[in-house]
Amino acid sequence: MEDRMTAMKTVGIVAATVAATALIGGGAYWFYRRRQKKKDAEAEEAEAPADADDDGSDPVTPEERRARGHYVPRTEIDADVMKKFEEAFGGGYAPPKDEVIDHLTQEDVVLFGVESEPVPGYPETREEVLTAKVRTVERSVVRARVIGPVVHAEHHGSHAGHGFRVGDMVEVPRGVILLAARPKPTEAKGYDSQGKSAATFQPSHKTKKTYEIHPGTPYDLVMPYITEDIEWYVDRELVKFELIGTKGLHQQIVFSEGSMRGGVTLRALDRDPETGLVFVARWELDIQP
């Protein structure tokens, strides 16, 4: 009986030893494969940078892919684009003369053509007629701020975007101006009365982001809630803004052209009759030129 027990113990020890050896061997092999894969991956990264193209060509930088475009002279605008433009403004269309441009004011707008430029990955181009609100009239250009709508600013599919965005300050050469006009007076007030919002911003105290904005351009702020007792505060005296209107929990605002450029904090506070001012939301903004 004792010999049998000894034999069984021996078998158990052998079995345990075989199992342990298998586990160690399997673990060692797994560790070896993992280490080898890591070395192979590091070697591949060393040979081909992360931003290299699949064909092994030189890496393409974000700057090379940036949406960009140029002004299009009146005589070079695509026939289809020009046809739609002329149809919109009637058969008697004629480009403005210099004396008309000389007397433009900040109540006026200019229309001009732009074309996108091909960049890596986006070989096709687009043309678009844009509208901009006049800021100053100079000898060779009109400085103006782009207003919406803008359709082809960004890349899409195989088409390159032209990079002219709502809110951008542009210097439009006189020779590319298609039309100069004064919009009809309107009594429209409230949300979207000054154009569609260029962007919508969640509160910075949640996103930890600072948003770039332009003067004279509507933006939507996403409010946690809205009451009749909301009060607004900016932390710089030389920054002025206007509340345009409300739609749901979106509060639309626009900063004046006369506002000092740079960083500004905008806060919404709720004046509670019992507890006083209650924090609602905060936006960190950077006013661009």
Side-chain angles (χ1 to χ4, degrees):
M1 183 71 176
E2 187 175 341
D3 292 342
R4 186 179 178 185
M5 291 293 293
T6 302
M8 290 180 67
K9 286 181 181 179
T10 302
V11 171
I13 291 171
V14 171
T17 303
V18 171
T21 303
L23 285 172
I24 293 171
Y29 179 74
W30 174 83
F31 178 77
Y32 167 77
R33 290 298 301 155
R34 183 181 178 188
R35 189 173 182 183
Q36 191 62 37
K37 285 182 178 179
K38 185 177 180 182
K39 285 184 177 179
D40 292 344
E42 290 175 350
E44 289 178 5
E45 288 180 3
E47 291 177 3
D51 56 353
D53 285 347
D54 292 340
D55 61 3
S57 59
D58 291 338
V60 177
T61 65
E63 174 60 23
E64 289 176 309
R65 275 210 175 98
R66 177 179 58 85
R68 67 194 71 183
H70 54 265
Y71 301 105
V72 183
R74 290 187 288 254
T75 56
E76 297 178 15
I77 291 181
D78 184 81
D80 290 338
V81 174
M82 197 63 192
K83 181 179 179 181
K84 291 180 181 178
F85 174 80
E86 290 177 345
E87 287 174 353
F89 291 95
Y93 160 75
K97 298 180 179 179
D98 275 340
E99 51 264 35
V100 173
I101 296 176
D102 288 338
H103 291 89
L104 293 176
T105 72
Q106 293 187 354
E107 297 179 17
D108 302 322
V109 297
V110 291
L111 280 70
F112 54 96
V114 297
E115 182 181 26
S116 61
E117 298 174 7
V119 297
Y122 305 94
E124 304 296 327
T125 64
R126 290 188 187 274
E127 289 186 5
E128 185 174 2
V129 175
L130 302 183
T131 305
K133 193 169 185 180
V134 175
R135 304 315 308 162
T136 60
V137 178
E138 301 176 14
R139 178 176 297 180
S140 59
V141 301
V142 173
R143 296 186 72 250
R145 192 173 297 283
V146 177
I147 60 178
V150 176
V151 180
H152 302 307
E154 311 300 337
H155 301 320
H156 181 73
S158 61
H159 288 84
H162 52 63
F164 290 86
R165 300 174 178 88
V166 174
D168 285 352
M169 184 69 79
V170 293
E171 295 187 349
V172 188
R174 288 182 177 233
V176 306
I177 296 176
L178 296 169
L179 184 74
R182 179 164 301 173
K184 293 181 179 179
T186 175
E187 296 182 359
K189 294 183 180 179
Y191 190 85
D192 277 356
S193 62
Q194 296 190 34
K196 300 290 185 181
S197 292
T200 300
F201 302 134
Q202 295 282 348
S204 295
H205 70 273
K206 292 182 178 180
T207 64
K208 312 301 180 186
K209 293 181 179 179
T210 297
Y211 303 106
E212 291 186 355
I213 63 172
H214 296 279
T217 306
Y219 295 96
D220 275 1
L221 307 180
V222 180
M223 300 287 291
Y225 65 88
I226 294 179
T227 72
E228 294 181 356
D229 300 316
I230 297 290
E231 297 182 7
W232 296 84
Y233 297 87
V234 291
D235 64 348
R236 294 169 60 197
E237 289 186 4
L238 298 180
V239 174
K240 306 297 180 184
F241 75 100
E242 175 187 352
L243 299 172
I244 302 174
T246 303
K247 183 177 182 181
L249 288 179
H250 285 192
Q251 176 66 66
Q252 197 170 69
I253 65 168
V254 62
F255 283 81
S256 70
E257 286 285 354
S259 292
M260 182 175 287
R261 307 315 192 239
V264 62
T265 299
L266 176 64
R267 289 181 175 86
L269 305 177
D270 186 14
R271 184 171 291 280
D272 187 275
E274 296 183 2
T275 61
L277 289 175
V278 178
F279 175 80
V280 176
R282 183 189 78 247
W283 289 266
E284 300 295 339
L285 306 170
D286 189 3
I287 304 177
Q288 302 292 297

